[in-house]
Amino acid sequence: MKLTIENQLVGLTELRAAWRQPVKVSLGDDARRRIAESNELIANVVAAGDEVYGVNTGFGQLANVRIDDDELAHLQENLVRSHAVGVGEDLDDDIVRLVMLMKVIALAEGFSGVRLELVEALCELINHNVYPRIPSQGSVGASGDLAPLAHMAGVLIGVGEAKVQGTIVPAELALREAGIEPIKLAPKEGLALLNGTQVSTALALAAVFRTENVLAAALAAGAMSSDAVKGSDTPFDRRIQTVRGHGGQIAVAGVLRELMRGSEIRASHVACDHVQDPYSIRCQPQVIGACLDVVRHVCSVLETEANAVTDNPLVFAESNAVLSGGNFHAEPVALAADYLALAIAEIGSLSERRIALLIDGNLSGLPPFLVKEGGLNSGFMMAQVTAAALASENKSHAHPASVDSIPTSANQEDHVSMATFAARRLHEMIDNVANIVAIELLAATQGVEFHLPQKSSPILERVIASIREVSPAYGEDRSMSADIARVVGLIDEGVFCAYSESILPSHSV
């Protein structure tokens, strides 16, 4: 993908594409002009000797320390070096790519006072697939993602390490790969690189994109489970959803109706005397619809944040002002991530309940534990236990991170967002849900096939075919771990999004 940063909003579809694959980034003429104008104002401030936070002062509680003009470049370099204290596993390259792209977007708005050559150098790292090695832990989400962004900034000045074609190399070697020299930072540039919410936002964006994948897979699995237990599609009737009015519920019910349309299994029991299905079948529009509404809200928040200017102080060239504020505080991202955590947990919870229904012969009408010769074979007995364990783990992970503020910087930064952790923990939750939904897809496929020669709907038969390509029918006991992993691979690839992409925010924009 080629992306020119100019005046337009960089939307969810472009952000998702940049997450999934390398991107070529360039600056448009208007962006170049804005950058130059804001940089000129910073140069004028320095020349006039005016005191401006982070330009010619110390940082945090040391903001009252004035720095001599001949030490201003040293000040910025020291900031980068001292703040590069991250720990833990490295962020994946796809996350780092999003981080760098959003930093370019923010700097290109022209409110940061940096030089054009700095922004162009960051573009060259992206364009040559050079990814700074950024530890995942060490940020409290205010004043922005200081520690992780310092590791990104360090590579630009030749400090630290980066990944080039999957190999970790010293920063100077990585810069040569990108065809650029180490940058000598000018006034405010270190601060502009370190202040910002780009790491929190990148982690949250990747999480919401992955949540779309598992939500789409859960809809396919839920429709298959409904067919496997001979559930009714009446609860998905458009009229029922319309009188309640929630957009997510209406959309999910529409997808479920389309998924089940033309099922021979459903046609075989339309006139039966069965009255109502368990909630895990009947209330899918209400539960997954509410989760979809959460995803849509979170996408809106994150799209705004991805295009936001979140460093400090901000440079307003038109009004000749440099203003200190708090746009680096990542509370919007933290709250959105915590909200998304609830939806992720609920998608997994409902899926696990359907697995429990499928294996219970008394409720499902299917062979106990979805296997012939039960007793000799245990079938899906332990697969449901695994799903239950993962669903229970997510209950703890869903506890909000944003309420756990802790003061830093000698109490100067006395309230922080914890957005980075709030977003990072979502990925473990999504891993759990992907495994739960994979187990349901396997179980529902097995359940539907017990109805042969009657078939499910044309769409669901395609879903079944994709499952059977990676997992053969379960005839007698075997380890299912590899089967689950292969189906998780299909979920992570977004295979099931094809059946519901019209309702997914980053697909339908």
Side-chain angles (χ1 to χ4, degrees):
M1 182 180 71
K2 293 183 178 180
L3 185 61
T4 299
I5 308 300
E6 190 63 281
N7 301 311
Q8 82 285 9
L9 182 84
V10 179
L12 291 172
T13 51
E14 290 91 352
L15 293 166
R16 185 182 179 97
W19 168 63
R20 293 299 297 267
Q21 61 190 10
V23 58
K24 299 291 185 182
V25 183
S26 61
L27 299 171
D29 291 340
D30 283 351
R32 291 171 176 273
R33 175 187 53 77
R34 292 193 300 266
I35 293 169
E37 288 175 353
S38 70
N39 178 244
E40 182 180 3
L41 178 53
I42 289 297
N44 292 340
V45 165
V46 172
D50 297 337
E51 184 172 291
V52 176
Y53 171 74
V55 175
N56 47 23
T57 74
F59 306 100
Q61 200 179 51
L62 301 175
N64 60 340
V65 178
R66 179 66 181 260
I67 309 300
D68 294 337
D69 286 355
D70 59 356
E71 292 285 2
L72 296 186
H74 192 195
L75 170 70
Q76 298 300 315
E77 183 176 314
N78 279 351
L79 177 70
V80 173
R81 292 179 181 272
S82 66
H83 282 54
V85 291
V87 298
E89 296 182 1
D90 293 343
L91 295 177
D92 291 338
D93 290 351
D94 52 6
I95 301 292
V96 175
R97 185 167 56 246
L98 270 180
V99 170
M100 292 193 292
L101 172 60
M102 288 188 290
K103 180 57 75 173
V104 169
I105 292 169
L107 297 178
E109 290 289 337
F111 297 103
S112 300
V114 302
R115 294 167 298 161
L116 179 60
E117 65 186 83
L118 179 73
V119 188
E120 288 181 327
L122 196 51
C123 289
E124 288 306 305
L125 292 186
I126 298 171
N127 294 342
H128 287 84
N129 302 324
V130 174
Y131 303 116
R133 189 179 183 186
I134 302 179
S136 59
Q137 294 175 278
S139 174
V140 295
S143 299
D145 295 313
L146 295 171
L149 286 173
H151 287 274
M152 181 202 74
V155 171
L156 287 169
I157 66 173
V159 174
E161 296 176 316
K163 295 179 186 176
V164 178
Q165 297 180 349
T167 300
I168 296 172
V169 300
E172 289 189 354
L173 184 60
L175 290 176
R176 284 201 294 273
E177 179 71 21
I180 58 177
E181 295 292 326
I183 295 288
K184 186 174 179 62
L185 295 174
K188 195 185 177 295
E189 289 184 339
L191 188 59
L193 289 170
L194 269 59
N195 263 173
T197 65
Q198 286 80 28
V199 174
S200 303
T201 306
L203 284 163
L205 275 170
V208 80
F209 296 149
R210 294 186 65 203
T211 301
E212 288 182 313
N213 291 345
V214 295
L215 189 149
L219 287 176
M224 286 171 58
S225 293
S226 298
D227 230 9
V229 301
K230 290 191 172 182
S232 173
D233 57 2
T234 298
F236 309 149
D237 189 289
R238 177 184 53 79
R239 292 165 293 183
I240 295 174
Q241 327 311 320
T242 300
V243 296
R244 196 175 196 189
H246 292 294
Q249 177 180 334
I250 292 168
V252 163
V255 169
L256 289 169
R257 290 195 303 272
E258 191 61 28
L259 286 169
M260 298 182 69
R261 190 183 309 279
S263 168
E264 296 175 7
I265 299 172
R266 174 60 182 134
S268 73
H269 63 92
V270 168
C272 71
D273 57 2
H274 183 68
V275 179
Q276 288 186 331
D277 298 312
Y279 290 176
S280 60
I281 299 294
R282 190 182 356 149
C283 297
Q284 290 181 77
Q286 289 76 15
V287 178
I288 304 302
C291 294
L292 176 60
D293 283 334
V294 171
V295 168
R296 288 172 167 175
H297 170 74
V298 170
C299 279
S300 176
V301 171
L302 296 180
E303 185 178 57
T304 297
E305 192 72 5
N307 289 273
V309 182
T310 55
D311 66 291
N312 182 65
L314 296 179
V315 180
F316 296 90
E318 287 188 2
S319 53
N320 202 40
V322 181
L323 306 179
S324 186
N327 279 4
F328 50 69
H329 200 296
E331 193 77 4
V333 180
L335 293 175
D338 283 342
Y339 196 19
L340 185 59
L342 300 177
I344 293 166
E346 285 297 88
I347 293 169
S349 176
L350 200 68
S351 179
E352 184 279 326
R353 287 293 78 205
R354 291 192 297 266
I355 298 167
L357 172 64
L358 286 164
I359 67 171
D360 188 339
N362 294 319
L363 295 175
S364 69
L366 298 167
F369 302 106
L370 299 172
V371 68
K372 296 176 180 177
E373 297 187 65
L376 175 63
N377 293 300
S378 295
F380 280 71
M381 180 187 295
M382 288 306 299
Q384 185 271 328
V385 174
T386 294
L390 297 175
S392 189
E393 280 187 20
N394 275 357
K395 295 173 187 177
S396 296
H397 291 317
H399 184 278
S402 57
V403 299
D404 193 23
S405 176
I406 186 169
T408 62
S409 192
N411 222 41
Q412 172 76 5
E413 297 157 5
D414 58 351
H415 183 278
V416 298
S417 71
M418 297 308 299
T420 321
F421 171 66
R424 193 180 77 242
R425 69 64 148 88
L426 296 176
H427 291 274
E428 185 174 351
M429 296 183 70
I430 295 165
D431 289 343
N432 288 343
V433 175
N435 278 292
I436 294 169
V437 174
I439 291 170
E440 185 188 0
L441 285 164
L442 290 165
T445 295
Q446 187 86 351
V448 167
E449 289 178 341
F450 278 119
H451 294 292
L452 290 172
Q454 292 174 344
K455 292 185 176 183
S456 188
S457 70
I459 293 177
L460 292 181
E461 287 296 328
R462 293 203 298 272
V463 174
I464 290 168
S466 67
I467 299 298
R468 285 292 174 245
E469 285 180 2
V470 299
S471 174
Y474 194 101
E476 58 183 27
D477 281 346
R478 67 173 192 266
S479 171
M480 292 178 61
S481 292
D483 299 69
I484 295 168
R486 287 191 291 268
V487 177
V488 167
L490 297 179
I491 295 172
D492 286 342
E493 291 169 13
V495 168
F496 303 101
C497 292
Y499 306 111
S500 53
E501 62 184 0
S502 65
I503 70 170
L504 302 175
S506 77
H507 293 255
S508 57
V509 175

